Amino acid sequence: MSSEATEERVLDAVRARRELVNEALDEDVPMSEPERLYEATRYLLQAGGKRLRPTVTLLTAEALADVEPLSEEYRSFPALDGSDLDVMAAAASIEVIQSFTLIHDDIMDDDDLRRGVPAVHKEYDTETAILAGDTLYAKAFELMTQTGADPQDGLEAVRLLATTCTKICEGQAFDIEFENRTEVLPDEYLDMIELKTAVLYGAAASTAAVLMGADDETVEALYRYGIDSGCAFQIQDDVLDLTVPSEKLGKQRGSDLVENKETLITLHARQQGVDVDGLVTADTVDGVTEDAVDAAVGELNDAGSIDYARDKAQELTDRAKSHLEVLPDNEARSLLEDIADYLITRGY
Amino acid sequence: MSSEATEERVLDAVRARRELVNEALDEDVPMSEPERLYEATRYLLQAGGKRLRPTVTLLTAEALADVEPLSEEYRSFPALDGSDLDVMAAAASIEVIQSFTLIHDDIMDDDDLRRGVPAVHKEYDTETAILAGDTLYAKAFELMTQTGADPQDGLEAVRLLATTCTKICEGQAFDIEFENRTEVLPDEYLDMIELKTAVLYGAAASTAAVLMGADDETVEALYRYGIDSGCAFQIQDDVLDLTVPSEKLGKQRGSDLVENKETLITLHARQQGVDVDGLVTADTVDGVTEDAVDAAVGELNDAGSIDYARDKAQELTDRAKSHLEVLPDNEARSLLEDIADYLITRGY
């Protein structure tokens, strides 16, 4: 299938679930007192987002149950033993964790904008943003206990969520540490993005299987699907920053280079002897020219670094899709394959 | 029993369990990578603390099981149906949550010292402190899934922990909000300290009952024991700040007044028409004299505000102890009664 057709199918699947996910988030993280805390807690959740992770959770449930997509109520969804569970609560829980990590990351990285609106610590203040993140953290765990799944499976899903959160913290800490290190190996970088970004995709992809009572092999395969496609997504992000025209990217192409952000591409290039620090001389994103970026991209191309990253993303995507073979061959599984492809073929 | 004898018995009970709790914390939150993150994560846990909350958890387990204190292994403790569970994991989980809240609170309040050592965000940095708190948060939930209790009970204990964390965030947000409000009613203050401080005592006191399969009435009574004694503890803290000599307090008596910190005492006094803001004119703790504090305390005494707080703490303590009547009459229950008394009779 062409990448445009894949993208269209994925975006349709996401759109069809987004409203349901948004309703669930609104219900499951309701306004309460103190008002300012709850406004801040709900602020980023309401600022939008594709809801890709909860969509993955819902699709894995549909693929496993082998039902027509959108044919069953997510709040009362058939587990493998015929009992009912609220798979939407699990999907919302994952999105709530994502939101908590963004709020705390934005404080740590002192980023001003998120999803086109001021970051929570800018719109409110740092104290409120720390607390809003902490509140979402608690809500996510509360939600994960409320799926009505078999208690043993419910407890296992909570444990998966907890170990996932620990790993996300480790990944963020490595990311901060790498900024102050003189040498980072490409494999260390891959380990970091697995922790920081991919494990939450892993949890999103496997939590429904855990809750529905799937066997360990199926759970593990879906977890690996999430990990591999999550890593591919992050690597592709770095490729797109160099290869997509600025107009389409919505920001200056090559901004990672100007900001001295290490990526798999620059780490590979360093190993090839490229003077990465000298690639772009501009100090600010506004001061760089398209010609300068072209020249830098040319050098990285010559070193094989962009192809290296692109190949890595493709390899991970292929592996991600192969993990889906544990699932029945159905429409939902096919959409999950499309999502893996979409993560590395999407425009920005 | 005299308050000195009660204090000695409580401190003996705490000391007898502290080493076991410390070992559990060391095992359950082990060093890992990135090293700096885990050092920061373990730093406050290792800085000491009485371990009062985990002691309460362990004592409630012993009271419920009706066993001689310290006669059963906490890692393999008899539930009410005869099966085994790791009640120490639950006790450690509560202490880990306490540690996480202290780390994040110290960032929010910009406090420099905690337990006699620099706060985590001072010893490391704010980014690391946010992440260390977030890591402890995850570890606490992981621990609560690892008690080996009946899964239904395990899931209920996780839910209790999650709703407790939400309330702690709400309490901290109210505390921050109250600092900027012109009028706070005594009842609003009591609601705030229940959320900010007492609910974690409530969780500490009831989580073993949940995990051991106690009935709802018992769980609720133990929760109320924790809430009432936790509130009494916090109110007494404010009384002690005015009534214990500076040498014994380890800081200037009346420092809350100098720092314009509202307490149940000042809020009551305001209602009685006392000019609380004019009670102490010194701007800094170093600039205040004992005579000035004496005069202020005299005014608060005349308004009945100190007695009001003291009576409230005593009333809550009596109520806390009455909730323990659901437990078998044994040595562990007697120690829990002593702890409630100790919380309002302790020196500083």
Side-chain angles (χ1 to χ4, degrees):
Chain A
M1 201 186 294
S2 75
S3 67
E4 287 77 15
T6 301
E7 177 155 347
E8 208 37 61
R9 249 166 61 91
V10 167
L11 293 180
D12 278 347
V14 166
R15 262 192 295 267
R17 286 159 186 83
R18 189 186 299 148
E19 209 45 53
L20 298 170
V21 170
N22 287 347
E23 272 171 36
L25 291 169
D26 188 49
E27 275 169 38
D28 292 340
V29 187
M31 261 312 288
S32 187
E33 294 191 326
E35 268 186 35
R36 187 177 159 84
L37 172 65
Y38 278 95
E39 280 169 11
T41 298
R42 288 160 53 90
Y43 171 81
L44 185 60
L45 282 178
Q46 293 180 329
K50 279 203 190 65
R51 313 302 189 197
L52 205 52
R53 292 168 195 78
T55 296
V56 166
T57 303
L58 299 171
L59 282 171
T60 55
E62 293 175 322
L64 268 172
D66 204 10
V67 298
E68 191 68 27
L70 298 167
S71 66
E72 297 280 343
E73 293 282 338
Y74 291 129
R75 293 285 196 190
S76 167
F77 196 86
L80 298 182
D81 67 359
S83 63
D84 274 2
L85 82 161
D86 180 357
V87 73
M88 181 59 91
S93 170
I94 297 286
E95 186 71 6
V96 169
I97 287 289
Q98 163 72 0
S99 193
F100 133 66
T101 63
L102 294 179
I103 292 173
H104 280 193
D105 281 3
D106 285 345
I107 301 171
M108 290 183 249
D109 303 339
D110 201 17
D111 281 333
D112 293 356
L113 285 177
R114 173 65 70 175
R115 289 182 175 156
V117 296
V120 176
H121 68 288
K122 293 291 174 191
E123 181 70 17
Y124 297 85
D125 50 66
T126 300
E127 292 71 31
T128 305
I130 292 175
L131 272 182
D134 290 345
T135 304
L136 289 169
Y137 210 153
K139 286 281 177 189
F141 280 95
E142 195 177 336
L143 278 173
M144 199 54 98
T145 66
Q146 290 172 336
T147 61
D150 173 86
Q152 183 77 59
D153 298 332
L155 208 53
E156 186 55 35
V158 170
R159 188 176 355 232
L160 171 63
L161 194 66
T163 55
T164 298
C165 289
T166 301
K167 288 176 185 170
I168 293 171
C169 292
E170 292 171 356
Q172 171 72 358
F174 275 123
D175 198 11
I176 293 174
E177 183 191 317
F178 287 176
E179 282 172 25
N180 304 314
R181 267 228 238 146
T182 48
E183 194 190 30
V184 177
L185 301 175
D187 278 352
E188 291 180 306
Y189 179 82
L190 289 172
D191 287 345
M192 183 274 285
I193 61 173
E194 173 167 330
L195 291 168
K196 180 170 169 160
T197 303
V199 293
L200 193 58
Y201 276 97
S206 59
T207 195
V210 169
L211 290 164
M212 288 167 68
D215 58 46
D216 291 351
E217 188 203 351
T218 302
V219 169
E220 176 64 21
L222 287 170
Y223 186 72
R224 297 308 319 173
Y225 160 79
I227 293 284
D228 288 339
S229 51
C231 282
F233 163 80
Q234 190 59 54
I235 294 168
Q236 188 65 8
D237 227 36
D238 302 336
V239 173
L240 294 175
D241 182 74
L242 293 175
T243 56
V244 172
S246 301
E247 315 86 73
K248 208 177 161 193
L249 210 51
K251 61 174 185 178
Q252 175 61 51
R253 181 171 61 110
S255 61
D256 286 352
L257 286 178
V258 179
E259 290 163 359
N260 298 314
K261 181 172 170 282
E262 295 291 346
T263 65
L264 191 61
I265 299 165
T266 58
L267 294 173
H268 177 273
R270 282 180 198 279
Q271 285 201 313
Q272 307 306 307
V274 174
D275 172 22
V276 170
D277 301 319
L279 274 178
V280 172
T281 50
D283 287 334
T284 64
V285 173
D286 291 339
V288 77
T289 63
E290 287 292 327
D291 283 352
V293 175
D294 278 340
V297 170
E299 271 202 68
L300 293 169
N301 247 330
D302 292 345
S305 302
I306 295 180
D307 279 345
Y308 169 77
R310 218 191 300 257
D311 289 351
K312 192 83 200 169
Q314 186 62 57
E315 178 195 323
L316 285 164
T317 300
D318 291 342
R319 207 163 70 190
K321 289 195 286 184
S322 75
H323 293 307
L324 295 175
E325 284 162 22
V326 291
L327 293 172
D329 186 5
N330 55 31
E331 175 71 9
R333 168 176 137 182
S334 161
L335 282 166
L336 288 165
E337 289 167 359
D338 288 346
I339 286 178
D341 284 329
Y342 164 75
L343 288 174
I344 64 164
T345 54
R346 75 207 145 91
Y348 212 81
Chain B
M1 201 185 295
S2 75
S3 68
E4 286 75 17
T6 302
E7 178 156 345
E8 207 38 60
R9 249 166 63 90
V10 167
L11 293 180
D12 278 346
V14 166
R15 262 192 295 267
R17 287 158 185 81
R18 189 186 297 147
E19 208 45 52
L20 298 169
V21 170
N22 287 346
E23 272 171 34
L25 291 168
D26 188 50
E27 275 170 37
D28 292 340
V29 187
M31 263 309 290
S32 185
E33 294 190 330
E35 268 186 35
R36 186 178 160 84
L37 172 65
Y38 277 96
E39 280 168 11
T41 298
R42 288 160 54 89
Y43 171 82
L44 186 59
L45 282 178
Q46 294 180 329
K50 281 204 190 64
R51 314 304 188 198
L52 205 52
R53 292 168 195 77
T55 296
V56 166
T57 303
L58 299 172
L59 281 171
T60 54
E62 293 175 321
L64 268 172
D66 204 9
V67 299
E68 191 68 26
L70 297 167
S71 65
E72 297 280 343
E73 293 281 337
Y74 291 129
R75 293 285 197 191
S76 168
F77 196 87
L80 297 183
D81 67 358
S83 63
D84 275 0
L85 82 161
D86 180 357
V87 72
M88 181 59 91
S93 171
I94 297 286
E95 186 71 6
V96 169
I97 287 290
Q98 163 71 359
S99 193
F100 133 66
T101 63
L102 294 179
I103 293 173
H104 280 192
D105 280 4
D106 286 343
I107 302 171
M108 289 181 250
D109 303 339
D110 202 17
D111 282 333
D112 293 356
L113 285 176
R114 172 65 71 174
R115 291 182 174 157
V117 296
V120 176
H121 69 287
K122 293 291 173 187
E123 181 71 17
Y124 296 85
D125 50 67
T126 300
E127 292 71 30
T128 305
I130 292 174
L131 273 182
D134 290 346
T135 303
L136 289 169
Y137 210 152
K139 287 282 176 187
F141 279 96
E142 197 177 336
L143 278 173
M144 200 55 98
T145 67
Q146 289 172 338
T147 61
D150 172 87
Q152 182 78 58
D153 298 331
L155 208 53
E156 186 55 35
V158 170
R159 188 178 353 232
L160 170 63
L161 193 67
T163 54
T164 298
C165 289
T166 301
K167 288 176 185 168
I168 294 171
C169 292
E170 292 171 356
Q172 170 73 358
F174 275 123
D175 197 12
I176 293 173
E177 184 192 317
F178 287 176
E179 283 172 25
N180 304 312
R181 267 228 237 145
T182 49
E183 194 189 31
V184 178
L185 301 175
D187 278 351
E188 291 179 307
Y189 179 82
L190 288 173
D191 287 346
M192 183 275 283
I193 62 172
E194 172 165 332
L195 292 167
K196 180 168 170 164
T197 303
V199 291
L200 193 58
Y201 276 97
S206 60
T207 193
V210 170
L211 290 164
M212 289 167 67
D215 57 46
D216 289 352
E217 189 204 349
T218 304
V219 169
E220 176 65 20
L222 287 169
Y223 185 73
R224 295 310 318 175
Y225 160 80
I227 294 284
D228 289 339
S229 50
C231 283
F233 163 80
Q234 190 59 55
I235 293 168
Q236 188 64 8
D237 227 35
D238 302 336
V239 173
L240 294 176
D241 182 74
L242 293 175
T243 56
V244 173
S246 300
E247 315 86 74
K248 206 175 164 196
L249 210 53
K251 61 174 185 178
Q252 174 61 51
R253 181 170 62 108
S255 61
D256 287 352
L257 286 178
V258 180
E259 289 162 0
N260 298 313
K261 182 173 169 281
E262 295 291 346
T263 66
L264 191 61
I265 299 164
T266 58
L267 295 172
H268 177 273
R270 282 180 197 280
Q271 285 201 313
Q272 307 305 309
V274 174
D275 172 23
V276 170
D277 301 318
L279 274 179
V280 173
T281 50
D283 287 335
T284 65
V285 173
D286 292 337
V288 78
T289 63
E290 287 292 327
D291 283 352
V293 176
D294 278 339
V297 170
E299 270 203 67
L300 293 169
N301 248 331
D302 292 345
S305 302
I306 295 180
D307 280 344
Y308 170 77
R310 217 191 302 257
D311 290 350
K312 192 83 199 168
Q314 186 62 56
E315 176 195 324
L316 286 163
T317 300
D318 293 341
R319 207 164 69 192
K321 290 195 285 182
S322 76
H323 292 307
L324 294 175
E325 284 163 21
V326 291
L327 292 173
D329 186 4
N330 54 31
E331 174 71 10
R333 169 177 136 181
S334 161
L335 282 166
L336 288 165
E337 289 167 359
D338 288 345
I339 286 178
D341 284 329
Y342 164 74
L343 288 174
I344 64 164
T345 55
R346 73 205 146 92
Y348 214 79

